[in-house]
């Protein structure tokens, strides 16, 4: 079990390059199940979750080869299987979306229910309802969802909630259906647009990605194309907060400014100075951080994946901040650990009330999920003294490529201990 030791209190200064988007690379890799020929996907972050997806695709019968830098070559070489491996899919809850491409390709899919994780129960009812709308027969058996459809038929689908994974899964399934599908109240995240752009490059006919209504005209087959994954907007936001919380001055490069406007706006409201470049953001910490209120919302609202990081930053703000988490039902696991470091936070249902304190003090803390881990790193960078963060491989390595070397290059005293 890998741990991180951080000696805090050092301002971060310098330049950091953001990696490719984890939450775009994962569905794009899953969509290669729909293709014939070899796809070469670049700017893929080498993360535990991406490695897990590589292993899932290999178990399903695909050839997947990684080559430096950040390139994944994927092709189908022989028979594709329809049963997704139990221990791999349940390890990565948000990989359930693979049911769409497996079903569209094979006419049959057997995928384990994701089950709960630290931030919530991760139900899949919107996926099931959507696949049934496309003509699939669905059964549940021994922890697996079994979907059958010799040929999916295009249909109108309405999502009760703009679920990212359900939008991606149903969009992938609909590309090879007979006829047209319209997904109403679809998620609008940039990762949805990235997936649609990749599939359209492979011959799909998807329009409206990024809006609340996506139309997919079914085609008979898709041919692999090469593609470069967009930058990771959450990694970008995380490093911007790292500059703000440590009193530093950091140039965050390789970003898509249009994907982080809600994060930039909120940080500027908190007094952080941010100068946007074409693909960069120059972040300079204020003398003191202002308290702000935040409510997490589906894109383009403030992203839930940045909520833990802002909790850390606002723990040191002047005044009282209120953060409301409207996406997941249990995404405050980092609060207890921040309180161990001296933060003054109360949980009230789906909101937390943060009374800013003058400083945090380093302590041994536990991570519960990927973004909570990032929040504890940020708190450790700002805290006085030493913070020991456990379970790095289980969580932090899942979402932040080479995070320690990136932080050290910015002047952080952060080391890995076995
Ligand atoms: C994606 O998860 C991301 N993961 C998450 O990032 C992100 O937090 C989330 O979208 C919201 O933006 C990937 O893209 C791999 P949802 P996903 O379906 O698709 C409920 C990270 O840290 N729901 O939009 O699983 C669900 O329980 C991860 O990188 C249903 O009720 O999120 C949640 O409360 C964490 N029924 C809400 O919708 C369903 O059928 C949003 O979930 C599906 C979802």
């Amino acid at each position: 079990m890998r741990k991180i030791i951080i000696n805090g209190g050092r301002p971060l200064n310098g330049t950091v390059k953001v990696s490719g988007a984890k939450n775009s690379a994962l569905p794009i890799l899953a969509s290669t199940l729909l293709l014939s020929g070899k796809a070469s996907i670049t700017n893929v972050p080498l993360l535990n979750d991406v490695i897990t997806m590589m292993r899932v695709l290999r178990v399903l019968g695909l050839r997947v080869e990684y080559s430096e830098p950040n390139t994944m070559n994927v092709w189908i070489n022989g028979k594709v299987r329809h049963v997704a491996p139990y221990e791999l899919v349940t390890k990565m809850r948000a990989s359930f979306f693979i049911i769409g491409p497996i079903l569209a390709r094979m006419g049959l899919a057997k995928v384990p229910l994701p089950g709960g994780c630290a931030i919530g129960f991760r139900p899949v009812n919107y996926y099931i309802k959507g696949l049934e709308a496309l003509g699939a027969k669905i059964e549940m058996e021994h922890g697996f969802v079994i979907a059958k459809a010799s040929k999916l038929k295009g249909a109108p689908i309405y999502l009760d909630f703009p679920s990212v994974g359900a939008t991606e899964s149903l969009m992938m399934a609909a590309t090879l259906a007979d006829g047209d599908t319209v997904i109403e109240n679809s998620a609008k995240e940039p990762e949805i647009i990235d997936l649609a752009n990749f599939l359209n490059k492979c011959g799909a006919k998807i329009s409206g990605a990024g809006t609340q209504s996506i139309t997919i005209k079914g085609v008979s087959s898709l041919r692999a194309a090469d593609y470069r994954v967009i930058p990771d907007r959450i990694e970008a936001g995380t490093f911007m907060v790292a500059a703000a919380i440590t009193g530093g001055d950091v140039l965050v490069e390789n970003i898509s400014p249009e994907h982080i406007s809600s994060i930039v706006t909120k940080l500027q409201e908190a007094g952080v100075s941010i100068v946007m470049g074409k693909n960069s953001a120059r972040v300079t910490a204020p003398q003191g951080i202002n308290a702000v209120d935040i409510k997490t919302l589906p894109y383009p609202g403030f992203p839930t994946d940045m909520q833990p990081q802002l909790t850390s930053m606002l723990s040191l703000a002047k005044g009282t901040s209120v953060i409301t988490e409207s996406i997941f039902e249990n995404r405050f696991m980092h609060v207890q650990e921040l309180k161990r470091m001296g933060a003054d936070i109360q949980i009230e249902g789906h909101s937390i009330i943060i009374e800013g304190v003058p400083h945090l003090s380093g302590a041994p803390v536990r991570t519960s999920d990927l973004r909570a881990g990032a929040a504890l790193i940020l708190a450790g960078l700002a805290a006085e003294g030493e913070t020991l963060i456990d379970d790095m491989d289980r969580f932090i390595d899942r979402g932040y490529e080479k995070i320690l070397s990136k932080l050290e290059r910015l002047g952080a005293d952060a080391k890995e201990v076995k």
Side-chain angles (χ1 to χ4, degrees):
M1 178 163 68
R2 294 168 63 208
K3 298 175 188 284
I4 301 179
I5 281 197
I6 299 176
N7 276 303
R10 302 157 68 112
L12 298 191
N13 292 292
T15 299
V16 62
K17 291 188 186 320
V18 168
S19 299
K22 165 178 85 81
N23 292 349
S24 184
L26 291 174
I28 284 175
L29 288 169
S31 74
T32 57
L33 278 156
L34 297 164
L35 312 177
S36 59
K38 183 176 199 176
S40 183
I41 316 291
T42 53
N43 202 31
V44 174
L46 195 54
L47 300 167
N48 290 5
D49 275 4
V50 168
I51 293 165
T52 301
M53 181 56 80
M54 279 171 78
R55 292 171 64 199
V56 169
L57 294 179
R58 284 181 179 147
V59 167
L60 291 171
L62 278 74
R63 294 294 299 275
V64 188
E65 282 173 12
Y66 176 79
S67 60
E68 294 293 347
N70 300 99
T71 300
M72 207 67 88
N73 293 305
V74 194
W75 68 101
I76 289 178
N77 175 28
K79 190 163 167 27
V80 176
R81 295 181 195 84
H82 70 275
V83 183
Y86 200 92
E87 73 292 340
L88 289 177
V89 173
T90 46
K91 192 166 97 166
M92 185 169 61
R93 313 291 182 222
S95 57
F96 183 76
F97 57 54
I98 203 158
I99 192 166
I102 299 175
L103 178 61
R105 173 83 192 214
M106 303 299 295
L108 174 62
K110 198 171 165 187
V111 180
L113 277 163
C117 68
I119 60 178
F121 303 108
R122 313 308 283 268
V124 293
N125 51 319
Y126 306 148
Y127 299 76
I128 305 296
K129 196 175 142 197
L131 292 174
E132 285 175 334
L134 296 174
K137 289 278 166 288
I138 306 280
E139 287 162 20
M140 308 284 190
E141 199 177 86
H142 309 306
F144 278 90
V145 174
I146 301 165
K148 288 190 187 102
S150 48
K151 182 74 174 164
L152 292 169
K153 287 180 185 39
I157 297 172
Y158 176 80
L159 293 179
D160 294 344
F161 179 88
S163 154
V164 171
T167 301
E168 289 164 348
S169 191
L170 296 167
M171 187 166 81
M172 287 189 268
T175 54
L176 296 179
D178 259 345
D180 296 358
T181 296
V182 181
I183 304 175
E184 294 292 355
N185 194 29
S186 48
K188 300 185 267 190
E189 273 70 4
E191 293 76 28
I192 308 275
I193 301 173
D194 215 26
L195 174 62
N197 288 344
F198 170 61
L199 288 170
N200 282 342
K201 219 180 152 192
C202 300
K205 292 187 174 15
I206 302 170
S207 56
T211 74
Q212 77 284 357
S213 172
I214 301 176
T215 300
I216 305 105
K217 294 184 176 312
V219 294
S220 53
S221 67
L222 293 170
R223 180 118 202 95
D226 296 348
Y227 195 74
R228 180 177 175 78
V229 168
I230 54 172
D232 193 311
R233 59 194 168 95
I234 304 302
E235 186 189 9
T238 304
F239 276 105
M240 293 169 79
V241 173
I245 200 173
T246 59
D249 181 348
V250 174
L251 179 63
V252 183
E253 290 191 320
N254 294 358
I255 67 171
S256 297
E258 68 278 15
H259 294 164
I260 58 170
S261 43
S262 66
I263 301 169
V264 170
T265 306
K266 206 40 85 172
L267 289 175
Q268 286 172 331
E269 213 182 295
V272 182
S273 130
I274 301 175
V275 177
M276 300 304 291
K278 188 166 165 307
N279 297 103
S280 67
R282 175 74 180 268
V283 184
T284 311
Q287 276 312 311
I289 293 166
N290 305 329
V292 294
D293 295 340
I294 297 173
K295 179 173 185 184
T296 66
L297 288 168
Y299 194 88
F302 189 87
T304 173
D305 290 349
M306 282 298 300
Q307 178 262 104
Q309 298 90 314
L310 267 288
T311 307
S312 293
M313 190 185 89
L314 295 173
S315 299
L316 290 166
K318 295 189 299 287
T320 307
S321 306
V322 178
I323 300 184
T324 302
E325 171 57 61
S326 72
I327 306 293
F328 286 104
E329 64 268 26
N330 180 29
R331 199 169 199 170
F332 292 136
M333 309 285 276
H334 48 292
V335 166
Q336 279 315 328
E337 300 307 305
L338 289 172
K339 288 170 79 136
R340 210 193 293 277
M341 298 175 73
D344 177 356
I345 308 173
Q346 297 310 319
I347 299 180
E348 310 265 336
H350 286 280
S351 296
I352 53 176
I353 321 290
I354 309 171
E355 297 297 343
V357 294
H359 60 82
L360 296 174
S361 57
V365 289
R366 293 190 63 77
T367 44
S368 53
D369 73 270
L370 157 61
R371 307 302 174 183
L376 294 172
I377 287 179
L378 295 173
L381 291 170
E384 290 169 356
E386 187 176 277
T387 297
L388 178 64
I389 299 174
D390 71 354
D391 277 354
M392 178 183 163
D393 34 354
R394 269 181 63 203
F395 296 109
I396 293 156
D397 286 349
R398 291 185 49 190
Y400 291 91
E401 186 182 47
K402 301 192 183 95
I403 187 161
L404 283 184
S405 57
K406 287 176 180 172
L407 287 173
E408 284 186 317
R409 258 209 297 281
L410 291 172
D413 179 356
K415 296 261 179 305
E416 181 192 328
V417 287
K418 294 283 183 207

